[in-house]
Amino acid sequence: MPKGKYSQWDSIKNVVLLGNHLPRKCGIATFTTDLADAIAKEAPGASVWAMAMNDRLEGYKYPSRVRFEISQGKLNEYDLAADFLNMSHVDVVCLQHEYGIFGGRKGSNIIELLRAITIPVVTTLHTILKDPSPEEKKILIQLAGLSDRLVVMSHRAVDFLIDIYKVPREKIVFIPHGIPDVPFTDPSFYKGKYGAEGKKVILTFGLLSPGKGIENMIDALPKIVKERQEVVYFVLGATHPNVKAERGEDYRIELKLRAKKLGVDNHIVFHDQFVDLADLIEFMGAADIFVTPYLNEAQITSGTLAYAMGAGIATLSTPYWYAQEMLAEGRGRLVPFNDPETLAREINDLFQDDVGCHAMRKRAYMFCRKMLWTEVGRQYLETFDQAKRTGLKSRAPIPKLKTLNIGPPNLPEINLDHLRLMTDDTGILQHAKFTVPNRSHGYCVDDNARALIVAVMALEIYPKDLAIKALVSNYLSFLDHAFNEDTGRFRNFMSYERKWLEDSGSDDSHGRSVWGLGVVVAFCKDRGQLGIAVNLFHRSLDALDHIHSPRAIAYALIGMHAYLRQFGGDTRVRRLREQLARKLMRMFTDNALEEWPWIEESLSYDNARAPHALILSGQWLQDHEMLEMGLKALRWLKKIQTTKDGHFAPIGNNGWYRRGDSMARYDQQPLEACAMIDACIEAFNITRDVEWVSYTHVLLDWYLGENDHRLPLYDYTTGGCKDGLEAQRVNENQGAESTLSWLLSLLAMYNHRAIQALDTIPETGEIKEPCSV
């Protein structure tokens, strides 16, 4: 078929590429953009457009080809994107998969989108792990099950998919990484442009990050320069955006200091820029040798290696998987990991062997001619055609009517505006007058501990949001300042003038602080925040021997379970967890009756935390009686707080509910719905009874207006939550406790949906083979 003619695949009229896209600076964005160009060129009659993933709120200034944008952490936008695709007469979706570019646990949000579309899917796998975590393995297995074809860029990747992930061979397509069509030129051609005329140029390019092993190349330079004074090492590429966000330019600075210490700083040039293709071709044209000194084998593809070989540059590399395959048969040389001495020796040898070096260049260049983007675009179109014919048989041709009983309800968007409004540089204020922070009541540890949990869990969904990370530090600082070394307890109340109003807070405030710190330890990625949380967590443990409030014990237990997710071997915490769990269990057994399965003579506030703690503890202590007691108490709470028409009506704080008396109907507080949601999710995790999940939506709907007054407590305009349902009206004040209860509830629902995306099929689940064509 003549190149550029579109006839063989005329059934493919509308193709969507889903992934990152330029001008976002990353390898996936470059690949997606180049692939879209290649497909559009090979199929000029087709509409080729993109859905782009955003890792920042403001997005990017995309070209017109990008017709839809998805904020990676906003689950609802994946649902909207699925609807958009289903209504756009798309023939094939080509997904570019890398775990880190999609939101949710290990990028699980993309699974929600794939489940919702009725369009053939061809997924390009940019990362395939030999030793995946259970979550990573489940994600890839589900991707395989929801994709009509999986495209890989190395033959080893085919073996991994078959042997590790049990993907049928018929579903896997090998298509090489595309490369631009670059002439085979003399390395001296572009040297003058970069002031390197008469120099021997060694080149490494790509986004800069610690895993690239540039330090080993710098360590090799002294021995190279000793033999060839004319050598200069070009390090081309901006610092990876993720690295820059977390560490700034630390790595680049370390490399520069290393070069200076070794006395080779006048033989190395850092080009700190993300270059376009035209500039990259000129840099490659100036290079005598290309080096990828990566630190370990776990790299299944490398665009930089493919580009350099396709440009005919003599190449040396450490033996990561893709390099082993590409540089075989004399197309390049491999050197051991972390071995600067061998690296220097091999480079010097290449510089001394012009004939051998030229032969290596030519072998690499000729091998890569089949990897030109024009050829790659043709192969993708062929795969799309196969997937479409398979997809028509394996997928429903018409989308299901999305009535309210189809699929999980959409969750409101996470809005932290009111949280930020209530927070100043001290911490979060307790109360509000309507929507305005009320300074007269100051601050408390209770709310700052809750706020800390909210910020940490929000950071799980928006990991690159530096403003949320700053909130974590703010609330953590408040807890650190609240800890009284003399008493070993947290103070609770602070005036607006920053004066503590007590030496020791309540048992509850101490327990909530332990809970908040445990969550930081479980989820926080920042080593500084993690360090202070671990230290403060341990300092707070002694006081737990002396607390008697069942709710305080429950809070502390929930925090300990979170802490032990990270440090499961901490014997002291494990012992204390068992001690407190037994203590809480005795409170139940000493007081509970068949018709009143409860720890006290009355039900008051935050009730579901106690059964939540028992369910967690019974599971991890393998105590069936404890687990059943927690589930029994939670079923009872669910029963007595659910009206005849099925909505949630929590116990009111104007009288509570004493055994033998009537239950107070008002005032109903948001923290009751929040506690019930957490406990119901944990009950589902143990029992797998979907009724618990269904009830969480009843509980969330209470905030949204499905309550006694049929009035919403959540305020979409502010992101805050009203303080409760009174007998005749809604309390219009949007204080910290109510707003934090809403946010904790919503974040728990988001987290549960992400986990469910991972748990839909078992780790060894079967993958449907494609229909025969």
Side-chain angles (χ1 to χ4, degrees):
M1 184 185 71
K3 298 295 180 188
K5 299 295 183 182
Y6 183 72
S7 59
Q8 185 178 352
W9 308 296
D10 56 4
S11 63
I12 307 297
K13 301 184 183 299
N14 195 353
V15 176
V16 179
L17 285 88
L18 200 169
N20 297 348
H21 197 285
L22 294 176
R24 183 172 172 178
K25 296 177 180 179
C26 73
I28 304 292
T30 301
F31 184 94
T32 305
T33 305
D34 289 343
L35 179 58
D37 288 339
I39 293 168
K41 185 176 180 181
E42 186 70 15
S47 173
V48 181
W49 52 282
M51 276 189 164
M53 302 303 305
N54 285 332
D55 61 345
R56 60 188 194 187
L57 294 176
E58 65 272 25
Y60 298 87
K61 293 183 179 179
Y62 292 114
S64 59
R65 174 184 284 153
V66 175
R67 298 186 191 173
F68 199 98
E69 300 173 40
I70 304 172
S71 297
Q72 67 179 46
K74 294 185 178 180
L75 191 57
N76 287 348
E77 293 193 13
Y78 292 80
D79 295 330
L80 295 173
D83 289 341
F84 189 80
L85 287 169
N86 284 331
M87 293 185 292
S88 297
H89 305 288
V90 174
D91 292 306
V92 176
V93 171
C94 186
L95 172 68
Q96 305 305 308
H97 183 262
E98 171 69 61
Y99 290 103
I101 70 173
F102 302 107
R105 298 167 72 93
K106 300 299 182 181
S108 60
N109 286 356
I110 192 60
I111 301 298
E112 299 280 339
L113 184 151
L114 294 181
R115 285 200 193 116
I117 62 175
T118 59
I119 303 160
V121 175
V122 173
T123 297
T124 305
L125 298 173
H126 292 264
T127 293
I128 305 171
L129 300 173
K130 182 180 179 182
D131 299 302
S133 69
E135 289 182 341
E136 289 163 340
K137 188 172 183 180
K138 286 180 180 180
I139 285 288
L140 201 146
I141 288 174
Q142 290 191 73
L143 275 174
L146 292 164
S147 301
D148 295 278
R149 293 290 187 275
L150 296 176
V151 175
V152 297
M153 291 174 272
S154 72
H155 295 288
R156 190 182 294 252
V158 176
D159 297 335
F160 282 3
L161 289 180
I162 294 171
D163 297 339
I164 300 169
Y165 301 92
K166 310 306 179 187
V167 179
R169 178 62 184 87
E170 296 82 1
K171 204 163 203 173
I172 306 168
V173 180
F174 169 77
I175 302 177
H177 195 297
I179 61 172
D181 191 356
V182 177
F184 188 81
T185 59
D186 184 281
S188 301
F189 193 76
Y190 288 108
K191 287 182 179 178
K193 182 172 181 177
Y194 302 107
E197 200 163 4
K199 302 286 187 181
K200 289 291 186 181
V201 176
I202 304 169
L203 172 67
T204 295
F205 67 87
L207 292 172
L208 198 63
S209 64
K212 301 291 176 143
I214 307 298
E215 59 272 22
N216 287 320
M217 183 59 218
I218 293 174
D219 288 349
L221 271 180
K223 289 190 176 181
I224 299 170
V225 170
K226 185 178 179 180
E227 294 200 14
R228 287 191 174 267
Q229 279 291 317
E230 73 275 21
V231 163
V232 62
Y233 179 36
F234 281 7
V235 181
L236 171 64
T239 300
H240 195 289
N242 293 348
V243 174
K244 195 167 186 176
E246 294 175 6
R247 297 181 48 183
E249 294 290 357
D250 284 357
Y251 182 56
R252 189 183 298 274
I253 293 169
E254 288 170 11
L255 294 176
K256 290 179 177 179
L257 291 174
R258 193 185 201 105
K260 189 171 184 178
K261 183 178 180 180
L262 292 172
V264 293
D265 46 317
N266 61 331
H267 292 274
I268 185 168
V269 179
F270 284 89
H271 293 275
D272 181 9
Q273 55 186 309
F274 187 86
V275 296
D276 60 22
L277 180 60
D279 287 335
L280 177 58
I281 289 172
E282 292 184 354
F283 271 104
M284 290 192 298
D288 295 278
I289 293 175
F290 173 74
V291 178
T292 53
Y294 298 166
L295 297 181
N296 61 69
E297 65 178 1
Q299 182 135 346
I300 205 70
T301 188
S302 168
T304 58
L305 182 64
Y307 273 42
M309 292 177 66
I313 310 174
T315 300
L316 277 83
S317 176
T318 49
Y320 55 91
W321 297 323
Y322 189 66
Q324 291 177 37
E325 193 169 305
M326 290 292 288
L327 299 181
E329 299 178 352
R331 295 186 291 268
R333 293 190 186 182
L334 297 174
V335 297
F337 295 109
N338 299 303
D339 190 347
E341 187 170 335
T342 302
L343 184 59
R345 186 172 62 248
E346 291 292 333
I347 289 174
N348 282 332
D349 186 63
L350 273 179
F351 280 142
Q352 292 167 7
D353 183 8
D354 289 340
V355 174
C357 186
H358 182 81
M360 177 197 294
R361 293 179 56 214
K362 196 162 187 179
R363 282 192 292 268
Y365 184 81
M366 296 308 298
F367 175 80
C368 291
R369 298 307 287 168
K370 60 188 177 186
M371 297 168 57
L372 297 179
W373 275 117
T374 50
E375 175 63 18
V376 168
R378 185 194 65 77
Q379 292 183 51
Y380 266 92
L381 282 164
E382 187 175 65
T383 304
F384 295 163
D385 182 61
Q386 293 171 356
K388 184 178 180 184
R389 285 183 280 147
T390 300
L392 288 172
K393 296 179 182 180
S394 64
R395 293 172 182 263
I398 301 173
K400 289 182 179 179
L401 185 65
K402 289 190 72 174
T403 54
L404 293 178
N405 66 335
I406 298 295
N410 286 339
L411 297 174
E413 188 174 313
I414 297 165
N415 182 350
L416 301 180
D417 287 353
H418 194 62
L419 175 72
R420 292 188 174 101
L421 180 68
M422 292 289 291
T423 301
D424 61 17
D425 59 358
T426 299
I428 189 167
L429 291 155
Q430 289 189 74
H431 297 295
K433 294 179 179 179
F434 295 92
T435 61
V436 179
N438 183 353
R439 300 180 181 183
S440 61
H441 294 280
Y443 316 85
C444 68
V445 155
D446 279 322
D447 288 334
N448 278 274
R450 292 187 186 104
L452 179 60
I453 298 171
V454 166
V456 169
M457 298 312 296
L459 204 58
E460 283 289 289
I461 296 173
Y462 305 111
K464 297 182 181 179
D465 192 322
L466 297 181
I468 298 177
K469 188 176 180 181
L471 288 175
V472 173
S473 287
N474 195 352
Y475 304 136
L476 191 55
S477 175
F478 189 95
L479 263 65
D480 183 54
H481 186 51
F483 190 76
N484 187 335
E485 296 288 353
D486 295 332
T487 64
R489 297 278 296 248
F490 291 94
R491 293 167 283 215
N492 192 12
F493 295 108
M494 175 191 274
S495 71
Y496 186 69
E497 292 75 27
R498 298 189 180 185
K499 295 184 182 299
W500 289 110
L501 305 180
E502 59 197 353
D503 290 328
S504 293
S506 65
D507 282 0
D508 284 5
S509 64
H510 193 88
R512 280 199 183 96
S513 299
V514 172
W515 178 13
L517 294 168
V519 171
V520 176
V521 175
F523 294 101
C524 190
K525 309 297 188 298
D526 183 278
R527 293 188 63 83
Q529 294 172 344
L530 180 62
I532 193 171
V534 169
N535 179 269
L536 193 53
F537 182 89
H538 279 281
R539 286 154 59 203
S540 69
L541 293 179
D542 286 343
L544 296 179
D545 288 328
H546 310 292
I547 65 173
H548 303 288
S549 159
R551 287 161 189 80
I553 293 170
Y555 301 147
L557 280 170
I558 296 168
M560 287 180 182
H561 283 289
Y563 170 91
L564 289 168
R565 285 179 52 149
Q566 182 72 11
F567 297 114
D570 191 322
T571 306
R572 181 190 181 196
V573 176
R574 289 165 68 94
R575 288 198 196 103
L576 188 55
R577 173 181 66 176
E578 182 169 2
Q579 175 187 325
L580 291 178
R582 303 282 178 215
K583 187 174 184 178
L584 185 62
M585 181 64 180
R586 284 195 298 273
M587 292 178 178
F588 271 96
T589 55
D590 290 350
N591 194 70
L593 301 173
E594 185 62 32
E595 71 280 4
W596 186 267
W598 197 242
I599 45 177
E600 298 169 310
E601 291 295 308
S602 65
L603 282 162
S604 53
Y605 63 94
D606 223 4
N607 293 302
R609 295 299 173 193
H612 180 192
L614 275 192
I615 292 168
L616 276 170
S617 300
Q619 176 192 12
W620 291 107
L621 298 176
Q622 298 184 350
D623 187 321
H624 182 73
E625 183 182 2
M626 186 181 292
L627 174 60
E628 283 303 313
M629 187 73 250
L631 290 169
K632 182 178 181 179
L634 186 60
R635 290 189 195 99
W636 180 63
L637 288 177
K638 177 175 176 283
K639 178 182 177 181
I640 65 174
Q641 297 182 111
T642 305
T643 65
K644 291 182 179 179
D645 66 357
H647 72 259
F648 180 60
I651 293 162
N653 68 0
N654 189 13
W656 305 119
Y657 182 20
R658 291 193 61 81
R659 180 155 57 188
D661 293 342
S662 298
M663 186 174 83
R665 191 73 169 205
Y666 301 101
D667 297 339
Q668 297 176 20
Q669 301 295 302
L671 87 164
E672 301 302 330
C674 177
M676 284 292 292
I677 284 174
D678 281 346
C680 287
I681 288 173
E682 199 55 49
F684 169 77
N685 291 340
I686 301 300
T687 67
R688 313 312 286 178
D689 184 346
V690 295
E691 283 300 313
W692 292 116
V693 175
S694 298
Y695 196 65
T696 61
H697 292 285
V698 173
L699 295 162
L700 197 72
D701 286 345
W702 178 83
Y703 292 98
L704 303 177
E706 193 64 28
N707 51 49
D708 282 350
H709 293 337
R710 296 294 189 267
L711 293 172
L713 284 85
Y714 174 54
D715 186 342
Y716 280 91
T717 62
T718 66
C721 180
K722 298 170 185 179
D723 278 352
L725 286 183
E726 299 176 353
Q728 303 297 327
R729 63 186 180 89
V730 172
N731 184 332
E732 294 291 336
N733 297 329
Q734 296 181 17
E737 181 183 283
S738 55
T739 296
L740 292 166
S741 295
W742 159 254
L743 289 171
L744 284 167
S745 299
L746 187 59
L747 287 163
M749 298 290 279
Y750 268 85
N751 186 53
H752 176 68
R753 275 188 66 173
I755 292 172
Q756 282 303 102
L758 292 168
D759 287 344
T760 301
I761 64 174
E763 187 175 327
T764 56
E766 294 181 359
I767 300 171
K768 183 177 67 177
E769 295 195 23
C771 298
S772 58
V773 177

